[in-house]
Amino acid sequence: MALAVSLSAVSVCCRAYATKEYDKTVRGVTYTYTVENNAAAILYCEANSAYIKEHPVIRIPSKLGGYPVKTIESFIIMTEWDPEDLAQQKITLPVVNKVVVPASVETIGKKLNPNDGIGGFTAFTIKRIHLGKNVRQIRSNPFFCDKITVHKDNPYFVSEKGLRLYNKKKTQLYAYLPSNKAKKYTLANSVRVIKSGAFCNSSLKQLNTNRAVKAEAGAFDMCYRLSVLTLGKAMKNYEPSRPGSQLKNGCNIVIDSDNRYLTLKNGALFNKKMTKLLQYFDTEDRTVYTVPKSVTHIGRMAFYDCYHLKRVKLPSGLTDIGDYAFCMCGLSSVTVPASVVRIGRYAISVDKSVTVKGMNTKIAYGGIYAARVYAPKGSYAESYCQRNDIVFKEL
């Protein structure tokens, strides 16, 4: 069975690194790594199918190029096959039964960066990852596996039934693996922080958080099956970590009545003061949406993938449009008020399937076509359009 990782699944190792990359083959596995502060950091690795079939247990080396391995950014083990060839030839890949993390490793995962490169490739399915006794830091859930176990002498982390990973006191949830079969889950009362990516790709249909918990950006990434999410009293924000990972439009968000940070109104999620629109939930029967006059900031990916939306009316006091805010929408044009002083990366664009009559479109990013922008002459929106090759029309 192969794990096909695509654009919507994970931000991967194909980004540009500031330091030089090295390759080293150890026991049939080729590791790509960097060296910084006299320590090696593994970015990703690759193995041949025939080798994995004969050696289903991978023991990550404690040294590469003479340097101690202190960091593992990703457990992705790429194959020699690309996804298209694998599907066409109907090949079944062998499974990696276990990946063992050595005692030298202290940090796992990488710093969250929503602008990392994203790519498609094929990787081996991993049944179990065993964390070494000195792992003390985990950055943005990197575990694409069926189970996680922890060395008995590790003082920082604990695994619950191999399916959930916590800090030792169980006040922070780092991973709730997709291999959990439950469709409904209620967070333990001891948990105070849901870490980035903790529920990534979960098969849950209903998730109930407790009243005291807070969530990091990306905590609910790729929870595409989720139909009910309850947010407790202390929850301040819901923010996806990368484009395409946000909650789907059919998800029903229930906010605790005592929550002082979030509110729902007319199919959109806002901060309590309704000065920031966090996410708009697309529906077939609504093609026009008017952003409330109180809103000054449209959040990152707020309207991402809202393909039913054909027209949006922005308030005159709006000042900030976040990254990817209208990316992959059904909008053919956007009217931006003069009050706007910032527009984020790829904030104004439409799906390439949208046809705009009489418009000379141009590819802006990853197959996304730029939408037409209407705004006052001399406005920030005009300069944004000039920098990003977007069609500008003066109001």
Side-chain angles (χ1 to χ4, degrees), residues 231-235 255-262 272:
L231 302 179
K233 176 181 177 180
M235 193 72 71
I255 300 175
D256 189 290
S257 59
D258 292 327
N259 187 295
R260 297 178 296 165
Y261 309 104
L262 301 172
K272 199 70 172 182

Side-chain angles (χ1 to χ4, degrees), residues 27 31 57-62 72 75 96-103 105 126 128-132 149 151:
R27 295 188 291 271
Y31 298 90
V57 176
I58 294 178
R59 299 184 181 276
I60 295 174
S62 58
I72 300 173
F75 285 104
V96 176
N97 287 335
K98 185 179 179 182
V99 174
V100 181
V101 176
V105 173
I126 300 173
R128 180 158 68 102
I129 293 174
H130 183 72
L131 302 185
T149 52
H151 193 285

Side-chain angles (χ1 to χ4, degrees), residues 31 53 57 80 99 119 121 148 206 223-224 240 254 257 330 339 348 362 369:
Y31 298 90
K53 187 175 182 179
V57 176
E80 71 275 26
V99 174
F121 56 93
I148 305 171
Q206 181 173 343
C223 288
Y224 300 141
V254 180
S257 59
S339 55
I348 301 173
K362 183 173 182 178
Y369 286 66

Side-chain angles (χ1 to χ4, degrees), residues 259-270:
N259 187 295
R260 297 178 296 165
Y261 309 104
L262 301 172
T263 188
L264 279 166
K265 187 173 182 179
N266 297 333
L269 180 67
F270 302 86

Side-chain angles (χ1 to χ4, degrees), residues 141-256:
N141 181 5
F143 304 110
F144 283 83
C145 60
D146 291 339
K147 284 194 174 183
I148 305 171
T149 52
V150 181
H151 193 285
K152 62 181 178 63
D153 294 329
N154 186 299
Y156 305 103
F157 297 101
V158 61
S159 174
E160 188 175 83
K161 298 181 180 180
L163 300 174
R164 292 178 288 275
L165 182 69
Y166 300 90
N167 65 338
K168 206 70 172 181
K169 294 181 179 180
K170 289 192 174 182
T171 57
Q172 299 181 0
L173 176 65
Y174 281 83
Y176 179 99
L177 296 184
S179 51
N180 280 277
K181 299 301 182 184
K183 300 303 179 184
K184 179 180 178 181
Y185 180 67
T186 299
L187 200 65
N189 287 330
S190 63
V191 178
R192 293 294 177 266
V193 179
I194 303 173
K195 303 295 284 185
S196 179
F199 286 95
C200 184
N201 205 28
S202 166
S203 59
L204 284 170
K205 290 187 176 181
Q206 181 173 343
L207 172 59
N208 303 315
T209 65
N210 62 49
R211 300 195 78 201
V213 76
K214 299 177 183 179
E216 292 185 349
F220 309 114
D221 275 3
M222 296 169 59
C223 288
Y224 300 141
R225 301 174 185 87
L226 204 60
S227 57
V228 179
L229 172 63
T230 63
L231 302 179
K233 176 181 177 180
M235 193 72 71
K236 289 186 176 182
N237 196 4
Y238 154 70
E239 187 176 76
S241 66
R242 55 181 64 91
S245 62
Q246 72 275 24
L247 296 177
K248 288 303 179 185
N249 295 313
C251 182
N252 179 29
I253 294 181
V254 180
I255 300 175
D256 189 290

Side-chain angles (χ1 to χ4, degrees), residues 378-390:
S379 64
Y380 179 86
E382 181 182 14
S383 63
Y384 178 86
C385 290
Q386 291 172 349
R387 293 193 306 271
N388 293 279
D389 292 327
I390 295 175

